[in-house]
Amino acid sequence: MTSLTEKKDLKKEIGSYLLLILGSALFAVGDVMFVNPYHLAPGGVYGLANVFNALWGWKISLAGVCMDIPLLIIGTIILGPKFGVKTVVSVILIPVFTYILEITWGYAPVIHGGAVAPETQSALYYLAKDGSHSWFMPDMFLNTVVAGLIYGVAIGVIFRAGATSGGSDIISMIIHKYTKISLGTLVLIVDSCISLTTLIAFEDIRLPIYSIILIFIESKIIDLVVDGMKSYKTMFIVTDQLEAVRDYILNDLERGGTLLTGTGLYQGNERKMIYVTLDRADMVKLKANLHRLDPKAFVNIMESSEILGFGFKALPKE
């Protein structure tokens, strides 16, 4: 008989694959309907695929999968089996959804200022389903914002499902292995280089700039989707009024904390320090009341990107 735990695990696994399907579909929508018609390349394999599509008419889905799968294989050989089944599924689903949109929707933009004649200054073109060029008046900023929102939600959902989108991140991971340059720096360098290909291909300085703006918006939305809206602060409080501060945290805020013992560098006296993690609202309350509780308290407040454990987000099982 299937235990309750096994049922919960199965339900969670099914949910993660549904998220993976949703994220992959959203990514295809963002790429085909918003990023590609404006000749943007916000990093990644599909950013480069958009450039190839605009220059030579290659299908985004075909160019993307032709780069993604070799990178996945090379990454597995060099880095070991770091990429799980869900990442492989994501690498397959994204080009499938992209191809479906390519043959049904084409590359027409959703946001634009109307169709115009090809000689109109600053107009952009997209490839119609029949292979011909159609011209439109762009709304670069609004399209970039919407594309960043869609990309961010899509990739954030894929991350929540326990997968990655593969692609250029694998290149960054390989370079990181041999150079020890931070992975975040390498991802930024690789994605920026891909964004700059739009300047080389189309000789339009707006395109890499808007692509980088898109990357920035996308990264912020990914953080919101993965970590949620909740913002946490970690406070270290050195105080001589230990009981008063402790009582306020426990009874008024109804939060816990940890009492640490340290030694002051100047006089060498033993001091008590409270370590506590709070959401933004409780942090504001505690900070506002500290002057009343202990005007001489010393406080260090730090941003906490992720808090795991009792009272916060549950520890991952794997």
Side-chain angles (χ1 to χ4, degrees):
M1 184 178 289
T2 305
S3 66
L4 184 60
T5 303
E6 288 174 337
K7 287 182 178 178
K8 286 183 178 179
D9 288 342
L10 178 61
K11 186 177 179 180
K12 185 177 179 180
E13 194 69 7
I14 292 171
S16 67
Y17 276 100
L18 291 175
L19 283 177
L20 192 55
I21 293 169
L22 174 62
S24 300
L26 278 176
F27 185 92
V29 168
D31 193 62
V32 175
M33 296 183 175
F34 295 90
V35 173
N36 177 268
Y38 279 75
H39 299 167
L40 300 177
V45 160
Y46 282 83
L48 206 52
N50 286 324
V51 175
F52 295 157
N53 171 264
L55 289 177
W56 303 305
W58 297 358
K59 284 195 177 299
I60 304 170
S61 53
L62 179 61
V65 79
C66 284
M67 289 184 281
D68 251 339
I69 291 179
L71 281 173
L72 201 58
I73 294 170
I74 293 168
T76 301
I77 292 170
I78 296 176
L79 303 171
K82 287 190 173 184
F83 310 105
V85 174
K86 290 176 183 174
T87 295
V88 176
V89 172
S90 173
V91 167
I92 294 170
L93 283 177
I94 290 175
V96 168
F97 285 120
T98 302
Y99 179 74
I100 291 171
L101 285 175
E102 285 176 306
I103 62 175
T104 56
W105 176 266
Y107 303 103
V110 174
I111 296 173
H112 59 85
V116 296
E119 63 271 10
T120 303
Q121 188 178 8
S122 78
L124 286 176
Y125 73 84
Y126 65 89
L127 284 172
K129 285 184 286 186
D130 60 3
S132 63
H133 288 173
S134 297
W135 296 80
F136 67 94
M137 184 60 65
D139 188 341
M140 298 292 295
F141 184 74
L142 179 59
N143 183 79
T144 299
V145 171
V146 175
L149 292 173
I150 294 173
Y151 256 33
V153 172
I155 297 175
V157 167
I158 290 173
F159 285 170
R160 285 288 294 267
T164 69
S165 56
S168 61
D169 290 351
I170 298 174
I171 299 174
S172 303
M173 292 167 72
I174 293 172
I175 298 174
H176 171 70
K177 179 178 180 179
Y178 295 105
T179 65
K180 302 305 178 185
I181 300 172
S182 75
L183 193 56
T185 300
L186 287 170
V187 169
L188 181 61
I189 291 171
V190 171
D191 282 347
S192 297
C193 287
I194 292 172
S195 295
L196 286 172
T197 61
T198 57
L199 176 60
I200 299 169
F202 308 112
E203 299 180 350
D204 187 344
I205 190 63
R206 297 177 305 168
L207 300 181
I209 293 173
Y210 277 113
S211 294
I212 291 169
I213 292 173
L214 197 160
I215 292 171
F216 177 79
I217 295 170
E218 171 194 336
S219 67
K220 296 302 179 182
I221 299 300
I222 289 172
D223 288 342
L224 285 177
V225 174
V226 173
D227 297 326
M229 294 289 289
K230 205 85 169 174
S231 176
Y232 293 104
K233 303 285 186 178
T234 294
M235 303 179 70
F236 290 92
I237 306 168
V238 180
T239 176
D240 291 327
Q241 303 299 323
L242 179 65
E243 290 303 318
V245 177
R246 174 181 177 274
D247 181 69
Y248 183 82
I249 293 171
L250 292 176
N251 298 318
D252 290 74
L253 299 182
E254 297 183 345
R255 302 299 303 184
T258 302
L259 184 62
L260 306 173
T261 302
T263 303
L265 287 179
Y266 182 61
Q267 295 181 331
N269 295 331
E270 184 179 283
R271 303 294 300 274
K272 298 294 184 181
M273 180 169 61
I274 296 173
Y275 164 80
V276 60
T277 298
L278 305 167
D279 61 33
R280 188 182 295 275
D282 284 341
M283 181 275 295
V284 171
K285 292 177 186 175
L286 178 55
K287 190 168 67 170
N289 280 275
L290 271 175
H291 188 271
R292 173 178 59 82
L293 298 169
D294 182 6
K296 296 181 179 180
F298 177 83
V299 186
N300 183 19
I301 304 175
M302 296 183 293
E303 189 76 36
S304 298
S305 61
E306 188 173 19
I307 306 296
L308 304 176
F310 180 74
F312 297 93
K313 186 165 43 171
L315 289 164
K317 294 183 178 179
E318 297 179 0

